[in-house]
């Protein structure tokens, strides 16, 4: 059952060195505050899993936290490369990064397989694609019923998944609205799950029953962090900060500037700083 915890405790209780960790969000509801808290606590040797790594994984990789990334697209959305990730892959800085690249379909199916407790995902995919030539975790199987050749990839079962959402009720049930991406499956596939939310409400009685609600028994910890998705957006609360994504490309391009920015804007900040900017974000929205 979900516990309401300060973000620093929620992260320290649920993330450990060497874990496989997913900080999931699909352009929307990216758990930036949780990732920054993990950076402040200095975890190492992580395997980072995500369909679409963007700024927060660039930051975590640049800070030397990751040994491997499993993903289906990596980039600064709408801008270009992830420069810290590329530096790690091409130059081993700050240390070498192993990568395992998949298609979006493979990652989504792998999360679903993990949520179902299955060892692998089987689906139609990779026909005519070259990824299998460089990724030994892409296999093929023959359907025992039709004889069709299908793709197979290992299930994704993170040690811990972090997501951001709009609301939790006082029982720890979590409401996710808008573009959901793979967040639900990433939570259900994980051994532990931490959710940051914009606010806590008494109940969800007035909401449509088909909205995505993660029941409290699927979540280990809930932390109230208004603004916790910035610079991505949270539907109904604040818009995407496009300028921050453009700025990041210049910051991340230089190793020294990157470290200076991280020290000033992440290491020396706390989760309370996300809460402090929420009024500005909501006004801008």
């Amino acid at each position: 059952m979900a516990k309401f915890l300060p973000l620093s405790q929620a992260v320290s209780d649920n993330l450990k060195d060497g874990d496989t960790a997913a900080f999931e969000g699909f352009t929307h509801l990216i758990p930036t505050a949780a990732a920054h808290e993990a950076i402040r606590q200095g975890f190492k040797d992580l395997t980072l899993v995500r369909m679409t790594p963007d700024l927060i994984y660039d930051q975590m990789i640049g800070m030397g936290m990751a040994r491997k990334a499993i993903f289906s697209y990596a980039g600064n959305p709408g801008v270009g490369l992830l420069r810290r990730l590329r530096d790690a892959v091409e130059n081993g800085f700050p240390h070498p990064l192993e990568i395992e690249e998949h298609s979006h379909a493979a990652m989504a199916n792998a999360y679903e397989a993990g949520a179902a407790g299955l060892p692998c995902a089987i689906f139609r995919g990779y026909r005519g694609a070259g990824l299998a030539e460089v990724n030994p975790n892409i296999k093929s199987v023959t359907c025992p019923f039709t004889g069709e050749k299908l793709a197979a990839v290992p299930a994704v079962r993170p040690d811990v998944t972090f997501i951001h959402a709009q609301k939790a009720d006082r029982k720890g049930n979590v409401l996710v609205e808008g573009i959901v991406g793979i967040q639900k499956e990433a939570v259900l596939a994980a051994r532990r799950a931490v959710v940051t939310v914009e606010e806590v409400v008494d109940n969800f009685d007035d909401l449509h029953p088909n909205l995505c609600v993660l029941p409290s028994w699927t979540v280990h910890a809930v932390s109230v962090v208004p603004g916790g998705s910035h610079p991505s957006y949270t539907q109904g609360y604040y818009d995407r900060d496009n300028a921050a994504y453009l700025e990041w490309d210049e910051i991340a391009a230089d190793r020294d500037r990157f470290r200076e920015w991280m020290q000033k804007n992440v290491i020396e900040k706390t989760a309370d700083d996300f809460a402090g900017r929420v009024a500005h974000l909501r006004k801008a929205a």
Side-chain angles (χ1 to χ4, degrees), residues 49-70:
V49 184
R50 188 169 159 198
M51 283 186 67
T52 55
D54 66 349
L55 272 58
I56 58 173
Y57 276 22
D58 211 27
Q59 293 167 2
M60 297 172 82
I61 290 165
M63 295 299 288
M65 298 173 66
R67 69 171 187 86
K68 181 177 181 179
I70 302 173

Side-chain angles (χ1 to χ4, degrees), residues 157-181:
R157 290 293 313 274
D159 293 300
V160 56
T161 288
F162 295 86
I163 67 168
H164 188 70
Q166 280 89 353
K167 299 174 183 176
D169 69 14
R170 301 194 185 280
K171 296 179 181 179
N173 302 302
V174 172
L175 172 71
V176 188
E177 296 181 281
I179 297 175
V180 175

Side-chain angles (χ1 to χ4, degrees), residues 3-19 21 23 33-44 46 60 65 159-162 192-196 220-223 271:
K3 297 180 180 179
F4 285 88
L5 298 174
L7 182 57
S8 59
Q9 183 180 350
V11 171
S12 64
D13 285 357
N14 290 284
L15 181 61
K16 308 299 177 187
D17 289 343
D19 272 356
F23 291 75
H36 284 183
E37 183 58 39
I39 292 169
R40 282 189 288 273
Q41 295 189 23
F43 293 99
K44 302 293 184 183
L46 300 177
M60 297 172 82
M65 298 173 66
D159 293 300
V160 56
T161 288
F162 295 86
R192 302 178 297 278
V194 176
V195 183
T196 55
H220 286 69
V222 175
S223 297

Side-chain angles (χ1 to χ4, degrees), residues 6-241:
L7 182 57
S8 59
Q9 183 180 350
V11 171
S12 64
D13 285 357
N14 290 284
L15 181 61
K16 308 299 177 187
D17 289 343
D19 272 356
T20 296
F23 291 75
E24 270 296 348
F26 196 74
T27 76
H28 176 230
L29 297 174
I30 294 169
T32 307
H36 284 183
E37 183 58 39
I39 292 169
R40 282 189 288 273
Q41 295 189 23
F43 293 99
K44 302 293 184 183
D45 200 32
L46 300 177
T47 295
L48 296 177
V49 184
R50 188 169 159 198
M51 283 186 67
T52 55
D54 66 349
L55 272 58
I56 58 173
Y57 276 22
D58 211 27
Q59 293 167 2
M60 297 172 82
I61 290 165
M63 295 299 288
M65 298 173 66
R67 69 171 187 86
K68 181 177 181 179
I70 302 173
F71 63 96
S72 53
Y73 163 85
N76 183 342
V79 180
L81 304 172
L82 288 182
R83 297 184 180 274
R84 293 297 91 222
L85 183 152
R86 183 168 182 170
D87 202 7
V89 172
E90 293 184 348
N91 304 309
F93 184 88
H95 55 68
L97 179 73
E98 181 183 353
I99 59 172
E100 180 179 328
E101 186 175 0
H102 289 279
S103 66
H104 279 344
M107 288 295 293
N109 277 278
Y111 272 125
E112 289 184 348
L118 296 172
C120 68
I122 299 172
F123 61 102
R124 289 189 179 94
Y126 292 120
R127 294 177 180 175
L131 271 178
E133 299 173 8
V134 296
N135 183 349
N137 276 334
I138 299 172
K139 307 289 187 181
S140 63
V141 297
T142 301
C143 174
F145 303 104
T146 67
E148 182 181 4
K149 187 177 180 180
L150 301 169
V153 295
V156 169
R157 290 293 313 274
D159 293 300
V160 56
T161 288
F162 295 86
I163 67 168
H164 188 70
Q166 280 89 353
K167 299 174 183 176
D169 69 14
R170 301 194 185 280
K171 296 179 181 179
N173 302 302
V174 172
L175 172 71
V176 188
E177 296 181 281
I179 297 175
V180 175
I182 204 69
Q183 285 97 309
K184 178 180 72 174
E185 290 80 3
V187 165
L188 297 178
R191 294 171 175 84
R192 302 178 297 278
V194 176
V195 183
T196 55
V197 296
E198 294 291 326
E199 62 177 324
V200 177
V201 297
D202 289 332
N203 55 63
F204 302 145
D205 288 350
D206 296 332
L207 300 176
H208 193 283
N210 284 344
L211 288 171
C212 180
V213 176
L214 292 165
S216 61
W217 55 266
T218 68
V219 177
H220 286 69
V222 175
S223 297
V224 182
V225 188
S229 183
H230 180 266
S232 76
Y233 71 101
T234 294
Q235 180 172 308
Y237 290 82
Y238 44 89
D239 292 336
R240 187 179 189 268
D241 186 350

